[in-house]
Amino acid sequence: MGYRGNLVVRSFVGSNYWQESMSAYGARCNADDVGGRYWGAPGSMAIPFGTEVINNKSMWSSLRLGTDVTARLLDHVTFHGDAVFLPAAYLLNEDSHFLRSDLGPTPHIEDSGTGWCYQLEGELKIDVNDNRTVGAGVRHWYAETGGVVDWVYFAEDSDLQDFTSGRFGVFGNVSYRFSTF
């Protein structure tokens, strides 16, 4: 831990669990080489948008090694940032195709493997008064692995070349600190 005027730098070790689930609904026909004979004319609805057709759920567990920086920039303005390296990450990914009865029960495909990740975050906070703070920031997370793809119903395995997850976005927060004695 290091202090220098209005700057605090800390190192930390921890763990991380990151889960995402994404679904696709419905299907609209594209142009094909057989004149829409099987599914329908281009642009027609093959599956209504209220029907879930695919779901993908990825779950990452990892070790976190990072640095946390807090700097008082002005009297009521603070910068807070994290830079984190995740050298050991484990992925479990489940892929379900609900309209494919030939694939057996869900999930149809499971991917697993080990890899690495990083997480970067930065935020500016403004003290509204002694108890209230508002802030806005940016976040970028990235994870990558290789491993094994398991076709569950067919009992086949194959190499997973690359599996990546990424997150980039902005965020805001409002905080209230209770007075302590």
PDB file of all heavy atoms in Angstrom, residues 48-72:
ATOM      1  N   PRO A  48     -41.542 -17.367 -34.965  1.00  0.00           N
ATOM      2  CA  PRO A  48     -41.934 -16.085 -34.356  1.00  0.00           C
ATOM      3  C   PRO A  48     -40.895 -15.589 -33.347  1.00  0.00           C
ATOM      4  O   PRO A  48     -40.238 -16.386 -32.683  1.00  0.00           O
ATOM      5  CB  PRO A  48     -43.253 -16.404 -33.652  1.00  0.00           C
ATOM      6  CG  PRO A  48     -43.655 -17.755 -34.089  1.00  0.00           C
ATOM      7  CD  PRO A  48     -42.475 -18.437 -34.691  1.00  0.00           C
ATOM      8  N   PHE A  49     -40.769 -14.274 -33.223  1.00  0.00           N
ATOM      9  CA  PHE A  49     -39.775 -13.678 -32.327  1.00  0.00           C
ATOM     10  C   PHE A  49     -40.059 -13.933 -30.849  1.00  0.00           C
ATOM     11  O   PHE A  49     -39.219 -13.678 -30.008  1.00  0.00           O
ATOM     12  CB  PHE A  49     -39.629 -12.186 -32.587  1.00  0.00           C
ATOM     13  CG  PHE A  49     -38.866 -11.887 -33.853  1.00  0.00           C
ATOM     14  CD1 PHE A  49     -39.361 -10.967 -34.753  1.00  0.00           C
ATOM     15  CD2 PHE A  49     -37.681 -12.516 -34.140  1.00  0.00           C
ATOM     16  CE1 PHE A  49     -38.663 -10.677 -35.917  1.00  0.00           C
ATOM     17  CE2 PHE A  49     -36.980 -12.251 -35.300  1.00  0.00           C
ATOM     18  CZ  PHE A  49     -37.482 -11.328 -36.191  1.00  0.00           C
ATOM     19  N   GLY A  50     -41.205 -14.467 -30.510  1.00  0.00           N
ATOM     20  CA  GLY A  50     -41.500 -14.833 -29.125  1.00  0.00           C
ATOM     21  C   GLY A  50     -40.960 -16.201 -28.736  1.00  0.00           C
ATOM     22  O   GLY A  50     -41.049 -16.604 -27.591  1.00  0.00           O
ATOM     23  N   THR A  51     -40.371 -16.934 -29.680  1.00  0.00           N
ATOM     24  CA  THR A  51     -39.864 -18.278 -29.427  1.00  0.00           C
ATOM     25  C   THR A  51     -38.351 -18.245 -29.221  1.00  0.00           C
ATOM     26  O   THR A  51     -37.616 -17.791 -30.087  1.00  0.00           O
ATOM     27  CB  THR A  51     -40.196 -19.205 -30.624  1.00  0.00           C
ATOM     28  OG1 THR A  51     -41.600 -19.200 -30.834  1.00  0.00           O
ATOM     29  CG2 THR A  51     -39.704 -20.618 -30.369  1.00  0.00           C
ATOM     30  N   GLU A  52     -37.895 -18.765 -28.064  1.00  0.00           N
ATOM     31  CA  GLU A  52     -36.453 -18.836 -27.816  1.00  0.00           C
ATOM     32  C   GLU A  52     -35.874 -19.975 -28.654  1.00  0.00           C
ATOM     33  O   GLU A  52     -36.341 -21.105 -28.587  1.00  0.00           O
ATOM     34  CB  GLU A  52     -36.171 -19.083 -26.335  1.00  0.00           C
ATOM     35  CG  GLU A  52     -34.697 -19.051 -25.997  1.00  0.00           C
ATOM     36  CD  GLU A  52     -34.413 -19.237 -24.511  1.00  0.00           C
ATOM     37  OE1 GLU A  52     -35.267 -19.780 -23.784  1.00  0.00           O
ATOM     38  OE2 GLU A  52     -33.325 -18.832 -24.090  1.00  0.00           O
ATOM     39  N   VAL A  53     -34.855 -19.667 -29.457  1.00  0.00           N
ATOM     40  CA  VAL A  53     -34.275 -20.685 -30.333  1.00  0.00           C
ATOM     41  C   VAL A  53     -32.881 -21.111 -29.892  1.00  0.00           C
ATOM     42  O   VAL A  53     -32.492 -22.252 -30.099  1.00  0.00           O
ATOM     43  CB  VAL A  53     -34.262 -20.218 -31.811  1.00  0.00           C
ATOM     44  CG1 VAL A  53     -35.677 -20.069 -32.328  1.00  0.00           C
ATOM     45  CG2 VAL A  53     -33.493 -18.936 -31.997  1.00  0.00           C
ATOM     46  N   ILE A  54     -32.110 -20.217 -29.290  1.00  0.00           N
ATOM     47  CA  ILE A  54     -30.743 -20.532 -28.858  1.00  0.00           C
ATOM     48  C   ILE A  54     -30.480 -19.847 -27.518  1.00  0.00           C
ATOM     49  O   ILE A  54     -30.933 -18.724 -27.281  1.00  0.00           O
ATOM     50  CB  ILE A  54     -29.699 -20.040 -29.885  1.00  0.00           C
ATOM     51  CG1 ILE A  54     -29.869 -20.752 -31.216  1.00  0.00           C
ATOM     52  CG2 ILE A  54     -28.282 -20.232 -29.368  1.00  0.00           C
ATOM     53  CD1 ILE A  54     -28.977 -20.205 -32.321  1.00  0.00           C
ATOM     54  N   ASN A  55     -29.708 -20.503 -26.650  1.00  0.00           N
ATOM     55  CA  ASN A  55     -29.224 -19.887 -25.418  1.00  0.00           C
ATOM     56  C   ASN A  55     -27.771 -20.295 -25.233  1.00  0.00           C
ATOM     57  O   ASN A  55     -27.405 -21.445 -25.488  1.00  0.00           O
ATOM     58  CB  ASN A  55     -30.034 -20.332 -24.199  1.00  0.00           C
ATOM     59  CG  ASN A  55     -29.485 -19.727 -22.924  1.00  0.00           C
ATOM     60  OD1 ASN A  55     -28.614 -20.301 -22.287  1.00  0.00           O
ATOM     61  ND2 ASN A  55     -29.972 -18.563 -22.572  1.00  0.00           N
ATOM     62  N   ASN A  56     -26.964 -19.344 -24.812  1.00  0.00           N
ATOM     63  CA  ASN A  56     -25.555 -19.594 -24.531  1.00  0.00           C
ATOM     64  C   ASN A  56     -25.248 -19.026 -23.159  1.00  0.00           C
ATOM     65  O   ASN A  56     -25.549 -17.867 -22.887  1.00  0.00           O
ATOM     66  CB  ASN A  56     -24.660 -18.960 -25.591  1.00  0.00           C
ATOM     67  CG  ASN A  56     -23.213 -19.254 -25.319  1.00  0.00           C
ATOM     68  OD1 ASN A  56     -22.540 -18.462 -24.678  1.00  0.00           O
ATOM     69  ND2 ASN A  56     -22.741 -20.385 -25.781  1.00  0.00           N
ATOM     70  N   LYS A  57     -24.666 -19.836 -22.275  1.00  0.00           N
ATOM     71  CA  LYS A  57     -24.314 -19.386 -20.929  1.00  0.00           C
ATOM     72  C   LYS A  57     -22.840 -19.688 -20.694  1.00  0.00           C
ATOM     73  O   LYS A  57     -22.419 -20.845 -20.765  1.00  0.00           O
ATOM     74  CB  LYS A  57     -25.182 -20.101 -19.898  1.00  0.00           C
ATOM     75  CG  LYS A  57     -24.934 -19.646 -18.480  1.00  0.00           C
ATOM     76  CD  LYS A  57     -26.052 -20.092 -17.563  1.00  0.00           C
ATOM     77  CE  LYS A  57     -25.680 -21.305 -16.797  1.00  0.00           C
ATOM     78  NZ  LYS A  57     -26.678 -21.683 -15.794  1.00  0.00           N
ATOM     79  N   SER A  58     -22.048 -18.643 -20.463  1.00  0.00           N
ATOM     80  CA  SER A  58     -20.627 -18.822 -20.171  1.00  0.00           C
ATOM     81  C   SER A  58     -20.342 -18.400 -18.734  1.00  0.00           C
ATOM     82  O   SER A  58     -20.852 -17.394 -18.261  1.00  0.00           O
ATOM     83  CB  SER A  58     -19.754 -18.036 -21.150  1.00  0.00           C
ATOM     84  OG  SER A  58     -20.072 -16.671 -21.108  1.00  0.00           O
ATOM     85  N   MET A  59     -19.532 -19.211 -18.049  1.00  0.00           N
ATOM     86  CA  MET A  59     -19.199 -18.978 -16.650  1.00  0.00           C
ATOM     87  C   MET A  59     -17.678 -19.039 -16.495  1.00  0.00           C
ATOM     88  O   MET A  59     -17.065 -20.047 -16.824  1.00  0.00           O
ATOM     89  CB  MET A  59     -19.865 -20.040 -15.774  1.00  0.00           C
ATOM     90  CG  MET A  59     -21.394 -19.986 -15.866  1.00  0.00           C
ATOM     91  SD  MET A  59     -22.206 -21.574 -15.567  1.00  0.00           S
ATOM     92  CE  MET A  59     -21.907 -22.427 -17.108  1.00  0.00           C
ATOM     93  N   TRP A  60     -17.095 -17.944 -16.044  1.00  0.00           N
ATOM     94  CA  TRP A  60     -15.642 -17.844 -15.844  1.00  0.00           C
ATOM     95  C   TRP A  60     -15.353 -17.777 -14.343  1.00  0.00           C
ATOM     96  O   TRP A  60     -15.976 -17.008 -13.618  1.00  0.00           O
ATOM     97  CB  TRP A  60     -15.101 -16.570 -16.469  1.00  0.00           C
ATOM     98  CG  TRP A  60     -15.152 -16.513 -17.957  1.00  0.00           C
ATOM     99  CD1 TRP A  60     -16.188 -16.039 -18.726  1.00  0.00           C
ATOM    100  CD2 TRP A  60     -14.147 -16.920 -18.865  1.00  0.00           C
ATOM    101  NE1 TRP A  60     -15.877 -16.130 -20.048  1.00  0.00           N
ATOM    102  CE2 TRP A  60     -14.614 -16.667 -20.170  1.00  0.00           C
ATOM    103  CE3 TRP A  60     -12.878 -17.468 -18.706  1.00  0.00           C
ATOM    104  CZ2 TRP A  60     -13.864 -16.949 -21.291  1.00  0.00           C
ATOM    105  CZ3 TRP A  60     -12.128 -17.745 -19.829  1.00  0.00           C
ATOM    106  CH2 TRP A  60     -12.617 -17.489 -21.105  1.00  0.00           C
ATOM    107  N   SER A  61     -14.392 -18.551 -13.881  1.00  0.00           N
ATOM    108  CA  SER A  61     -13.871 -18.475 -12.509  1.00  0.00           C
ATOM    109  C   SER A  61     -12.377 -18.211 -12.631  1.00  0.00           C
ATOM    110  O   SER A  61     -11.706 -18.866 -13.427  1.00  0.00           O
ATOM    111  CB  SER A  61     -14.101 -19.779 -11.756  1.00  0.00           C
ATOM    112  OG  SER A  61     -15.467 -20.061 -11.669  1.00  0.00           O
ATOM    113  N   SER A  62     -11.870 -17.274 -11.836  1.00  0.00           N
ATOM    114  CA  SER A  62     -10.462 -16.919 -12.021  1.00  0.00           C
ATOM    115  C   SER A  62      -9.831 -16.326 -10.767  1.00  0.00           C
ATOM    116  O   SER A  62     -10.512 -15.861  -9.864  1.00  0.00           O
ATOM    117  CB  SER A  62     -10.319 -15.930 -13.182  1.00  0.00           C
ATOM    118  OG  SER A  62     -11.193 -14.841 -13.009  1.00  0.00           O
ATOM    119  N   LEU A  63      -8.514 -16.331 -10.772  1.00  0.00           N
ATOM    120  CA  LEU A  63      -7.683 -15.687  -9.764  1.00  0.00           C
ATOM    121  C   LEU A  63      -7.437 -14.250 -10.219  1.00  0.00           C
ATOM    122  O   LEU A  63      -7.164 -14.022 -11.397  1.00  0.00           O
ATOM    123  CB  LEU A  63      -6.356 -16.435  -9.642  1.00  0.00           C
ATOM    124  CG  LEU A  63      -5.248 -15.779  -8.810  1.00  0.00           C
ATOM    125  CD1 LEU A  63      -5.650 -15.788  -7.336  1.00  0.00           C
ATOM    126  CD2 LEU A  63      -3.929 -16.512  -9.015  1.00  0.00           C
ATOM    127  N   ARG A  64      -7.539 -13.263  -9.312  1.00  0.00           N
ATOM    128  CA  ARG A  64      -7.324 -11.845  -9.655  1.00  0.00           C
ATOM    129  C   ARG A  64      -6.088 -11.309  -8.944  1.00  0.00           C
ATOM    130  O   ARG A  64      -5.953 -11.434  -7.746  1.00  0.00           O
ATOM    131  CB  ARG A  64      -8.515 -10.982  -9.217  1.00  0.00           C
ATOM    132  CG  ARG A  64      -9.799 -11.301  -9.877  1.00  0.00           C
ATOM    133  CD  ARG A  64     -10.921 -10.407  -9.363  1.00  0.00           C
ATOM    134  NE  ARG A  64     -10.912  -9.167 -10.134  1.00  0.00           N
ATOM    135  CZ  ARG A  64     -11.221  -7.974  -9.651  1.00  0.00           C
ATOM    136  NH1 ARG A  64     -11.530  -7.820  -8.392  1.00  0.00           N
ATOM    137  NH2 ARG A  64     -11.213  -6.925 -10.430  1.00  0.00           N
ATOM    138  N   LEU A  65      -5.206 -10.658  -9.712  1.00  0.00           N
ATOM    139  CA  LEU A  65      -4.047  -9.947  -9.176  1.00  0.00           C
ATOM    140  C   LEU A  65      -4.128  -8.530  -9.727  1.00  0.00           C
ATOM    141  O   LEU A  65      -4.116  -8.341 -10.947  1.00  0.00           O
ATOM    142  CB  LEU A  65      -2.748 -10.599  -9.642  1.00  0.00           C
ATOM    143  CG  LEU A  65      -2.578 -12.091  -9.359  1.00  0.00           C
ATOM    144  CD1 LEU A  65      -1.332 -12.620 -10.046  1.00  0.00           C
ATOM    145  CD2 LEU A  65      -2.522 -12.332  -7.864  1.00  0.00           C
ATOM    146  N   GLY A  66      -4.211  -7.546  -8.839  1.00  0.00           N
ATOM    147  CA  GLY A  66      -4.415  -6.212  -9.386  1.00  0.00           C
ATOM    148  C   GLY A  66      -3.871  -5.077  -8.561  1.00  0.00           C
ATOM    149  O   GLY A  66      -3.336  -5.256  -7.474  1.00  0.00           O
ATOM    150  N   THR A  67      -4.042  -3.907  -9.143  1.00  0.00           N
ATOM    151  CA  THR A  67      -3.660  -2.642  -8.525  1.00  0.00           C
ATOM    152  C   THR A  67      -4.848  -1.712  -8.552  1.00  0.00           C
ATOM    153  O   THR A  67      -5.539  -1.593  -9.559  1.00  0.00           O
ATOM    154  CB  THR A  67      -2.471  -2.004  -9.270  1.00  0.00           C
ATOM    155  OG1 THR A  67      -1.372  -2.911  -9.222  1.00  0.00           O
ATOM    156  CG2 THR A  67      -2.071  -0.693  -8.643  1.00  0.00           C
ATOM    157  N   ASP A  68      -5.054  -1.046  -7.445  1.00  0.00           N
ATOM    158  CA  ASP A  68      -6.167  -0.124  -7.257  1.00  0.00           C
ATOM    159  C   ASP A  68      -5.564   1.256  -7.007  1.00  0.00           C
ATOM    160  O   ASP A  68      -4.673   1.396  -6.176  1.00  0.00           O
ATOM    161  CB  ASP A  68      -6.967  -0.616  -6.043  1.00  0.00           C
ATOM    162  CG  ASP A  68      -8.084   0.282  -5.648  1.00  0.00           C
ATOM    163  OD1 ASP A  68      -7.834   1.240  -4.887  1.00  0.00           O
ATOM    164  OD2 ASP A  68      -9.216   0.021  -6.066  1.00  0.00           O
ATOM    165  N   VAL A  69      -6.018   2.267  -7.737  1.00  0.00           N
ATOM    166  CA  VAL A  69      -5.492   3.625  -7.596  1.00  0.00           C
ATOM    167  C   VAL A  69      -6.648   4.577  -7.286  1.00  0.00           C
ATOM    168  O   VAL A  69      -7.677   4.555  -7.959  1.00  0.00           O
ATOM    169  CB  VAL A  69      -4.794   4.093  -8.894  1.00  0.00           C
ATOM    170  CG1 VAL A  69      -4.347   5.541  -8.784  1.00  0.00           C
ATOM    171  CG2 VAL A  69      -3.626   3.198  -9.224  1.00  0.00           C
ATOM    172  N   THR A  70      -6.474   5.391  -6.248  1.00  0.00           N
ATOM    173  CA  THR A  70      -7.419   6.453  -5.924  1.00  0.00           C
ATOM    174  C   THR A  70      -6.629   7.750  -5.827  1.00  0.00           C
ATOM    175  O   THR A  70      -5.629   7.812  -5.111  1.00  0.00           O
ATOM    176  CB  THR A  70      -8.153   6.175  -4.598  1.00  0.00           C
ATOM    177  OG1 THR A  70      -8.818   4.919  -4.700  1.00  0.00           O
ATOM    178  CG2 THR A  70      -9.167   7.261  -4.286  1.00  0.00           C
ATOM    179  N   ALA A  71      -7.073   8.765  -6.574  1.00  0.00           N
ATOM    180  CA  ALA A  71      -6.361  10.052  -6.575  1.00  0.00           C
ATOM    181  C   ALA A  71      -7.361  11.188  -6.422  1.00  0.00           C
ATOM    182  O   ALA A  71      -8.326  11.278  -7.186  1.00  0.00           O
ATOM    183  CB  ALA A  71      -5.581  10.214  -7.874  1.00  0.00           C
ATOM    184  N   ARG A  72      -7.142  12.058  -5.438  1.00  0.00           N
ATOM    185  CA  ARG A  72      -7.976  13.251  -5.255  1.00  0.00           C
ATOM    186  C   ARG A  72      -7.454  14.285  -6.236  1.00  0.00           C
ATOM    187  O   ARG A  72      -6.335  14.766  -6.112  1.00  0.00           O
ATOM    188  CB  ARG A  72      -7.869  13.738  -3.817  1.00  0.00           C
ATOM    189  CG  ARG A  72      -8.612  15.000  -3.521  1.00  0.00           C
ATOM    190  CD  ARG A  72     -10.093  14.846  -3.559  1.00  0.00           C
ATOM    191  NE  ARG A  72     -10.616  14.291  -2.327  1.00  0.00           N
ATOM    192  CZ  ARG A  72     -11.902  14.118  -2.111  1.00  0.00           C
ATOM    193  NH1 ARG A  72     -12.779  14.454  -3.042  1.00  0.00           N
ATOM    194  NH2 ARG A  72     -12.319  13.608  -1.007  1.00  0.00           N
TER     195      ARG A  72
END
